[in-house]
């Protein structure tokens, strides 16, 4: 199997106040024009109670949304157990941005412009007292250009995801991977990807899509460790339908409930990887 895109690595560690997940990596293959990079992330948290706290996003202090002056920062209210759940990213411009969890999805990039949302790093920080966070890490894949003569870009393309961890499995309810691809010779786009072409978002989700469960907690007797998990899935079904653009999301969902407290003292090791290959199952 020939690797056509570098692996993006996910590493989690548990600190004194937060569970932190770091995602690093961007892959470029100059010979084929392929790219694989983090392009978005989103987060939300389920509320187990109605108790809220309002935070000045500029200072981090508490605030009253009914008494915000023009010189104050934005006053955002959250369910109390959501405080501390956020994703921090470094954009392609080097600027650091953050999204804070609410009951609705919060994300960095609008869905219709994902491929312009290149992120150099992602860090999920889960510091709430109560479990219930759900977050998705999104990757954009730009497929290969067609080669002259014998088109060596033709073939089957695969996405490969691995996951393994300990302790965090107590909090984790499920992990899913979902992707959608815009393919050559399928739908409205027959031509190979051009260097200056941009994905048609409607076509992207019309050509080929799939969702697969990677891990699911069974019950309270489930082990504290997540054994080595690996899924290898096809991005296309026939050789001439080469992926032009793909969006891949890995979604993590915690257990929820007001009695499920986050264990901040246990040792956690949690890691995985994501790669795209040209080869065969």
């Amino acid at each position: 199997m020939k690797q056509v895109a570098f692996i993006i690595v996910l590493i989690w560690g548990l600190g004194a106040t937060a569970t932190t997940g770091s995602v690093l990596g961007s892959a470029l293959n100059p010979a084929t024009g392929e790219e694989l990079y983090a392009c978005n992330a989103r987060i939300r948290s389920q509320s187990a109670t109605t108790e809220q706290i309002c935070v000045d996003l500029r200072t981090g202090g508490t605030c009253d949304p009914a008494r915000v002056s023009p010189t104050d920062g934005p006053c955002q209210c959250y369910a109390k157990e959501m405080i501390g759940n956020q994703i921090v990213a470094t954009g392609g411009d080097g600027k650091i941005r953050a999204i804070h969890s609410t009951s609705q999805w919060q994300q960095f990039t609008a869905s219709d412009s994902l491929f312009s949302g290149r992120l150099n790093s992602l860090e999920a920080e889960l510091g709430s007292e109560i479990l219930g966070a759900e977050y998705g890490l999104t990757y954009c894949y730009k497929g290969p250009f067609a080669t002259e003569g014998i088109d060596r870009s033709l073939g089957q393309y695969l996405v490969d995801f691995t996951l393994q961890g300990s302790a965090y499995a107590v909090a984790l309810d499920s992990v899913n991977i979902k992707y959608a691809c815009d393919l050559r010779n399928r739908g409205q786009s027959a031509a190979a990807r051009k260097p200056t072409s941009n994905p048609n978002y409607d076509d992207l989700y019309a050509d080929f899509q799939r969702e697969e469960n990677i891990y699911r907690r069974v019950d309270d007797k489930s082990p504290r460790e997540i054994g080595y998990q690996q899924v290898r899935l096809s991005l296309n079904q026939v050789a001439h339908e080469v992926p032009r653009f793909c969006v891949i999301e890995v979604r993590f969902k915690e257990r929820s409930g007001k009695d499920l407290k986050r264990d901040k003292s246990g040792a956690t090791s949690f890691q995985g990887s994501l790669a795209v290959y040209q080869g065969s199952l």
Side-chain angles (χ1 to χ4, degrees), residues 182-193 203 207 240-242 244:
D182 168 20
L183 306 176
R184 291 184 205 169
N185 301 300
R186 184 91 175 258
Q188 300 179 15
S189 302
R193 183 173 75 86
D203 290 344
D207 288 348
H240 67 276
E241 294 180 350
V242 177
R244 289 158 43 89

Side-chain angles (χ1 to χ4, degrees), residues 39-44 86-89 97-114 117 119 122 134-138 201 205 247 249 251:
C39 57
N40 199 17
R42 55 181 181 158
I43 188 170
R44 67 180 177 182
Q86 64 178 356
I87 298 180
V88 180
R97 301 162 58 197
I99 49 175
H100 300 267
S101 184
T102 71
S103 59
Q104 303 298 317
W105 285 111
Q106 304 296 314
Q107 61 185 21
F108 288 103
T109 308
S111 297
D112 59 357
S113 57
L114 285 177
L119 301 173
L122 286 171
E134 183 177 7
Y135 57 98
L137 310 175
T138 305
Y201 197 75
Y205 279 87
V247 172
E249 183 186 56
R251 187 180 299 180

